[in-house]
Amino acid sequence: MNMKAVLLAPTPPPVGGIAKWTERMMNAELKNGWQVSVVDEKLISNREVFGDHVKRSLPTEIKRCFRIWKNLKRELKDPEAKVVHSCIPSATLSMLREYVCACITKNRKRKFIIHFRCTVPNTAKGRAAGFMLKRLCNKSDMIILLNGQSVDYLKNMTDTPVALIPNFIDDTEICAEHTTAPEIKTALYIGGVIKTKGCADIVDVARAFPNINFRLVGRADDEIIAYADGLKNVVFTGVKEKSELQEEMKNADVFMFLSYFPGEGFSNALAEAMAAGLPCIVTDWAANADMIENEKGGLVVSVRAPNAASKALEKMSDPQFRKQCSDFNIRKVREMYSEKYVVSQYVDCYEKLI
C-alpha cells in the first residue's frame, strides 16, 4: 500500500509564499513511495495576504473554514492517507481553524503535523494567540519550523517534537554560475512591493545611488509608487512569470531583501535569488541571516536602516567579494535547500510518526 500525506495549504494563484511551496510539493518526487494530496486553503472572495484587500469578512471566513473541514474529512476516507501536514502562519484565527483540523485528524486515528510558515514570535502575539498556539502545538504530533527564532520560542512551551526544516528550491532553478560584472548596474527585489517588505527602504537606498537601476518586481502598493515619485532609477515592473523572473535574476548584480514583514519565515524569493547566484543584502529578520551568513553569501543589516543598506551596497562594489558571495549562495542552496535534500526530511518526519 502506498502512503499519502494530506497537505492543508493554499495553491496558486497567486504564486508566492505558502502557495509556491504547495506547488513545489505537488510536483516533488517523494522517497519510499509517498504521495501528497492537497486540501486547498486558498483565500476566497478576493481577500489578499497583503495589499488593498487584507481584511477578513467573518461570514466568508466561516464559509472557507467549513469548506476546508469538509474536504479534509473526504481526504481522510482514503486509507492511504496517513499524515495531515498543515501549513499556516501562527495567526490566531488560522490556528483556531487548524486546531479543528487537528481534532478531525486525530479522531480518525491519523497523525497531524503543524508547519508554521512564519517566525512564530512575530505573529503569535497577544493572550488569545498565545493560548491557541499552545493548544495547537500540544494537539499536534510534530511541529515543523523555518528558523531558529521559532525553535527557541517554542521549545519551552510544548513537549511536542520539533523539526527545523527550510523551504526548498527545485533543482532546475539552481544555476551553475552567475556572471559577475565589474560594476553594479542593477539591484533587484522580487515579492510584494509593500512597506513592510522593506521596499520604501530600497527606494531610500536608490536615492543615494542614481547610477544604479533598482528593479522592484511584483504587485506594488500605491504608497510605494508615490514614495518613489521622481526617481528615474526605480522601476516597478509589476508581476512577472517564472521565466521572466529567472531572466531578471540573471541580469541583476545584487539582490536586496530588506523585509520586516511580520509573516516572514523563510523567504522563497531570497532562496531563489541565492540559487541564481546573486549576492544578497538582507535584514536581520526571520531566517535571512541564517541563510546568507553575513560576509559569506552577502551582507546582513538591521531592519528599517536604509543607511546601513547603502553602506552594504557600497561594500558590494568589490566584484571579487560579489563573486565569492555568488559562489557561496549557489553551493549552499545545492547542499541545503535543494528539493531532494529537504523533501527527504519531510518524509523522515512522516515515517517517524507512523
Side-chain angles (χ1 to χ4, degrees):
M1 179 184 293
N2 291 326
M3 290 178 286
K4 183 183 293 184
V6 179
L7 306 181
L8 288 170
T11 63
V15 175
I18 304 176
K20 192 157 201 173
W21 176 89
T22 308
E23 183 179 49
R24 285 175 170 153
M25 281 293 288
M26 291 168 67
N27 294 322
E29 183 176 341
L30 279 64
K31 67 181 182 181
N32 301 339
W34 278 83
Q35 299 176 341
V36 298
S37 62
V38 177
V39 172
D40 196 351
E41 294 192 328
K42 186 196 304 272
L43 299 178
I44 60 176
S45 297
N46 298 318
R47 187 179 152 230
E48 300 170 351
V49 177
F50 44 73
D52 299 327
H53 305 285
V54 297
K55 291 185 178 180
R56 290 181 173 90
S57 160
L58 185 58
T60 299
E61 286 304 300
I62 291 173
K63 178 181 177 182
R64 177 181 169 222
C65 287
F66 276 98
R67 184 196 67 187
I68 290 168
W69 297 332
K70 178 182 177 181
N71 291 339
L72 174 60
K73 291 175 183 177
R74 185 193 65 229
E75 287 291 335
L76 290 177
K77 291 179 180 179
D78 184 349
E80 294 184 353
K82 303 296 184 183
V83 175
V84 174
H85 183 164
S86 166
C87 302
I88 61 166
S90 55
T92 305
L93 292 181
S94 296
M95 291 190 288
L96 178 59
R97 181 190 67 234
E98 298 308 287
Y99 183 81
V100 176
C101 291
C103 291
I104 292 169
T105 301
K106 303 300 281 293
N107 287 341
R108 285 156 178 77
K109 310 299 182 185
R110 307 306 212 284
K111 299 297 183 181
F112 188 84
I113 296 174
I114 189 67
H115 188 169
F116 287 118
R117 312 287 304 186
C118 58
T119 302
V120 176
N122 292 340
T123 54
K125 293 183 176 181
R127 293 179 64 183
F131 174 79
M132 280 312 309
L133 176 64
K134 189 168 185 177
R135 292 291 300 274
L136 179 57
C137 288
N138 289 341
K139 191 70 174 178
S140 302
D141 296 291
M142 180 170 286
I143 305 165
I144 297 177
L145 300 170
L146 294 177
N147 55 57
Q149 294 163 267
S150 298
V151 173
D152 292 341
Y153 188 75
L154 288 180
K155 65 182 179 182
N156 295 320
M157 181 181 291
T158 181
D159 293 328
T160 302
V162 171
L164 177 59
I165 305 177
N167 287 342
F168 65 92
I169 293 291
D170 188 307
D171 293 346
T172 61
E173 296 178 60
I174 306 173
C175 75
E177 185 178 17
H178 181 81
T179 302
T180 301
E183 298 179 354
I184 297 176
K185 294 183 179 180
T186 303
L188 179 68
Y189 164 83
I190 297 174
V193 184
I194 60 176
K195 187 174 182 179
T196 53
K197 284 282 189 173
C199 294
D201 294 334
I202 292 175
V203 172
D204 285 336
V205 174
R207 297 183 200 280
F209 294 89
N211 295 325
I212 295 177
N213 290 317
F214 291 77
R215 296 180 63 81
L216 283 71
V217 180
R219 182 179 172 183
D221 270 7
D222 292 340
E223 176 187 15
I224 301 299
I225 295 174
Y227 191 64
D229 186 44
L231 288 177
K232 295 182 179 180
N233 63 327
V234 176
V235 177
F236 299 98
T237 73
V239 178
K240 293 205 168 191
E241 298 295 328
K242 181 178 179 179
S243 60
E244 295 174 312
L245 293 177
Q246 291 173 334
E247 193 67 19
E248 289 281 353
M249 289 186 284
K250 180 181 177 181
N251 294 330
D253 301 298
V254 174
F255 189 77
M256 300 197 73
F257 191 70
L258 306 183
S259 177
Y260 49 95
F261 180 61
E264 205 80 68
F266 184 106
S267 169
N268 287 321
L270 179 55
E272 289 163 6
M274 292 172 67
L278 283 172
C280 302
I281 298 172
V282 305
T283 42
D284 189 6
W285 188 258
N288 296 353
D290 295 339
M291 297 166 71
I292 293 300
E293 300 183 43
N294 193 34
E295 302 277 350
K296 293 184 178 179
L299 297 169
V300 180
V301 300
S302 300
V303 298
R304 303 181 186 89
N307 288 339
S310 294
K311 291 178 181 177
L313 189 55
E314 288 178 2
K315 185 169 182 177
M316 281 286 186
S317 63
D318 179 1
Q320 184 176 355
F321 178 62
R322 278 186 281 120
K323 174 62 175 173
Q324 291 171 355
C325 293
S326 175
D327 293 343
F328 173 87
N329 285 340
I330 293 170
R331 184 170 62 251
K332 184 166 185 179
V333 171
R334 186 178 292 119
E335 293 175 356
M336 298 188 67
Y337 305 148
S338 66
E339 176 186 307
K340 183 177 181 180
Y341 179 77
V342 174
V343 172
S344 177
Q345 294 179 70
Y346 295 143
V347 174
D348 290 342
C349 290
Y350 303 157
E351 295 184 343
K352 184 176 181 179
L353 291 180
I354 67 170

